[in-house]
């Protein structure tokens, strides 16, 4: 792309497509944030505009609109931008590109309809199954059909990017894959490997069951298939944020990415490690033996590595940028960073919150301390620091830079945008502080009316009233922040006849791709290793679940398999003894 051009100048048709993806994303953010506010005020009994019976409908809408629609529409937009910009070529066939966007929109609309219809009695459709949607909760078939169509749309999007890359490779034999495209391709590999699990769960078991074609199913099996996908999907939300941290943040800081090879290693590690860990969401599930849970725990702890490498690379890049801008000293360079730029500040704050979420993630991952926080408000606390801020705030901040590039218009209200990102930060600190602490004293999640009356309820510090107030205040600030963001985006879209402040060019890394071993670009090799790891982690647990519960259920009791074997031996022995005695 020529210097001084925006993306919209260079690729007008593609920019229109990416804008369409962003609008779908932003619309979902607005709807999801609205439901978030309702929940925050309802469960703290500050304002109840819905019946408590409707709480699950709201919670399902909140979860699905935000973690499926908002995040994934945004990420396909970013990925399309990253691939086109870094390969310097448009998609091979734009009709195909619009095709997958159309499928995703259709799927999202069907699912949204199934959820929202739950608010009225006049249509006999509902989907109060939460964003985890596994059995025994059951939704109207439309909900699952929509999800499948949506996911197939993302698969085709990935195919589109692989196709662009192959076309580029034909013209540039022997060259290293440009880093942004490398990140997109590896993320999609991870997505293919993991989303196949949820596709099987829905198509083979949940959908036929909700259509009443099959009378029963094996709940442990669908839960396990769900979490097989349910953990990697969190990296699907996170890796686009990583992409922006690696590609955009160093530039915004005034410098260059510290190390391209390290970035490649991080993405490969995610391909290898994100899938064989899902059982860490099932520590309290009966029917999966402790040993498999232990393996999942060890694998999970390895995932710290790419996160720590990322923290190192990003901070080193920011320091480099600050020193280019005249920053000095051990810590004083921090003051030389462009803190008035909402895109930079938003991403930096999101990164800080992510570190916090990482520490609490270690708590969740530990088999023993997980028992303390399981299904308490601690878990939404963790969710909101990670996808709800590390990803969401990075996306919003990124949009402050990307949307001007995609429209050719100048961002409206830069200083309001700065207030917006800081407001999100303050809101999330309040809300998650309350959620974490509430969780530690046992407040449940997913509960419309948690009651703390009629018995002694000691909180280590503060009071239940104070925790509730923090949750409500934090949630309200978040809602206001989201609305500000949407307003600025709409105004910017209509701010024609202006030009973005920044040109769209991305500076090369300090240590470029030539410094990284060529094997990192051997995608087939990594797919093969990832597949082996998945087979090792999942074949035995799945076999044991199916052998005891049957493919279509009914599932049986809470007996760990290790004990199963022992008890069979013991029973046989006892029967033998009994026979002899008789
Ligand atoms: C306006 C901002 C937001 C507010 C006020 C808000 C509020 C809440 C509250 C109070 C809960 C807990 C409900 C309960 O367990 O009883 C919750 C759950 C959740 N939130 Fe948010 N949230 C916001 C933004 C977000 C964002 C940006 C995301 C993700 C991108 C997100 C994802 C989730 C998820 C996945 C859950 C768990 C849903 C479940 O348990 O099924 N939230 N939110
Ligand atoms: Cu997980």
């Amino acid at each position: 792309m020529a210097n001084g051009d925006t993306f919209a100048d260079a690729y007008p048709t593609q920019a229109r497509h990416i804008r369409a993806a962003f609008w779908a994303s932003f619309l979902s953010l607005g709807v999801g944030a609205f439901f978030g506010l309702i929940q925050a005020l309802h469960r703290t009994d500050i304002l109840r505009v819905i019946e408590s019976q409707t709480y699950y409908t709201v919670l399902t809408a909140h979860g699905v609109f935000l973690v499926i629609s908002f995040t994934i529409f945004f990420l396909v937009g970013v990925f399309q931008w990253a691939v086109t910009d870094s390969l310097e070529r448009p998609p091979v066939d734009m009709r195909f590109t619009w095709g997958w966007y159309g499928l995703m929109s259709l799927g999202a609309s069907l699912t949204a309809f199934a959820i929202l219809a739950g608010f009225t009695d006049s249509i006999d459709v509902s989907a109060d199954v939460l964003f985890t949607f596994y059995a025994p909760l059951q939704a109207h078939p439309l909900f699952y059909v929509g999800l499948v169509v949506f996911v197939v749309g993302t698969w085709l999007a990935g195919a589109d990017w692989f196709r662009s890359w192959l076309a580029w490779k034909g013209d540039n034999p022997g060259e290293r894959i440009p880093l942004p495209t490398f990140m997109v391709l590896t993320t999609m590999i991870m997505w293919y490997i993991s989303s196949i699990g949820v596709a099987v769960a829905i198509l083979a078991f949940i959908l036929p069951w909700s259509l009443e074609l099959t009378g029963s199913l094996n709940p442990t099996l669908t839960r396990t298939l769900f979490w097989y996908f349910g953990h990697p999907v969190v990296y699907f939300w996170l890796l686009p944020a990583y992409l922006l941290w690696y590609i955009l943040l160093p530039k915004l800081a005034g410098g260059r990415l510290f190390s391209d090879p390290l970035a490649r290693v991080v993405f490969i590690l995610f391909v290898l490690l994100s899938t064989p860990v899902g059982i860490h969401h099932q520590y309290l599930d009966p029917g999966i033996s402790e040993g498999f849970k232990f393996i999942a725990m060890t694998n999970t702890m390895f995932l710290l590595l790419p996160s720590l490498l990322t923290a190192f690379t990003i901070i080193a890049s920011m320091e480099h940028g600050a020193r280019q801008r005249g920053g000095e000293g051990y810590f004083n360079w921090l003051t030389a960073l462009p803190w008035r730029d909402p895109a930079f500040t938003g991403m930096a704050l999101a990164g800080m919150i992510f570190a916090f979420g990482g520490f609490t993630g270690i708590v969740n991952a530990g088999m023993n301390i997980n028992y303390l926080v399981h299904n308490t408000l601690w878990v939404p606390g963790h969710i909101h620091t990670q996808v709800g801020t590390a990803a969401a705030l990075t996306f919003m901040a990124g949009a402050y830079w990307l949307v001007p590039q995609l429209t050719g218009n100048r961002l409206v209200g830069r200083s309001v945008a700065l207030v917006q990102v800081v407001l999100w930060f303050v809101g999330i600190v309040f809300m998650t502080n309350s959620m974490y602490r509430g969780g530690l004293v046992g407040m449940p999640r997913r509960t419309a009316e948690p009651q703390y009356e009629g018995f002694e309820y000691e909180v280590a510090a503060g009071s239940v009233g104070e925790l509730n107030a923090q949750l409500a205040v934090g949630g309200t600030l978040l809602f206001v922040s989201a609305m500000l963001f949407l307003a600025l985006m709409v105004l910017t879209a209509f701010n024609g006849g202006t030009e973005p402040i920044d040109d769209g060019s991305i500076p090369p890394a300090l240590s470029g791709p030539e410094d990284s071993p060529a094997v990192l670009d051997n995608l087939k090799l990594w797919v093969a290793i990832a597949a082996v790891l998945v087979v090792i982690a999942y074949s035995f647990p799945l076999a044991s679940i199916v052998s005891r519960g049957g493919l279509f259920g009914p599932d049986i009791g809470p007996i760990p398999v290790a004990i199963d074997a022992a008890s069979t031996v013991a029973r046989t022995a006892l029967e033998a003894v009994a026979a002899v005695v008789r």
Side-chain angles (χ1 to χ4, degrees), residues 23 340-343 396-397 399-405 407-421 481 483-502:
W23 288 124
R340 295 190 158 277
D341 178 352
M396 289 188 270
Y400 287 137
W401 186 85
L402 280 164
V403 168
Q405 297 301 321
T407 52
N409 300 346
R410 179 161 305 187
L411 174 67
V412 174
R414 246 172 96 85
S415 44
V416 182
L418 193 58
V419 172
Q420 186 266 323
V421 294
S481 171
M483 292 305 124
L484 271 183
F485 168 76
L486 295 178
L488 293 180
M489 286 294 108
V490 171
L491 291 176
T492 301
F494 287 108
N495 195 22
T498 52
E499 284 200 353
I501 295 176
D502 188 50

Side-chain angles (χ1 to χ4, degrees), residues 227 230-232 234-235 277-278 280-281 300 382:
W227 286 120
H231 187 80
V234 310
Y235 296 111
V277 298
H280 69 207
H281 290 259
T300 305
H382 174 73

Side-chain angles (χ1 to χ4, degrees), residues 43 55-56 59 129-134 137 375 377 380 444-448:
R43 61 167 293 145
Y55 193 77
Y56 262 27
L59 194 50
V129 291
L130 311 172
F131 81 104
T132 39
F133 61 83
Y134 38 61
L137 297 179
N375 272 345
L377 210 45
R445 71 188 282 209
R446 295 176 159 179
T447 303

Side-chain angles (χ1 to χ4, degrees), residues 33 36-37 39-40 43 55 59 62 66-67 70 130-131 380 383-384 387-388 392 424 431 435 445-447 471 475 478-479:
L37 179 68
Q39 283 162 201
R43 61 167 293 145
Y55 193 77
L59 194 50
H62 179 68
L66 287 169
V67 295
F70 159 59
L130 311 172
F131 81 104
I383 295 175
H384 287 95
V387 61
W424 190 277
M431 190 170 90
M435 288 176 157
R445 71 188 282 209
R446 295 176 159 179
T447 303
L471 200 154
L478 289 173
F479 176 75

Side-chain angles (χ1 to χ4, degrees), residues 179 183 246-247 250 256-266 309 312-314 316-317 320 508-513 515-516 520:
L179 183 60
M183 293 173 162
Y246 277 106
I247 304 299
R256 294 156 63 181
L257 173 62
F258 185 66
S259 164
D260 166 306
L262 218 50
R264 284 180 208 254
V265 168
V266 164
L309 285 176
F312 169 77
T313 319
I314 303 299
S317 309
H320 169 77
L510 285 171
S511 161
D515 295 336
S516 73
L520 287 178

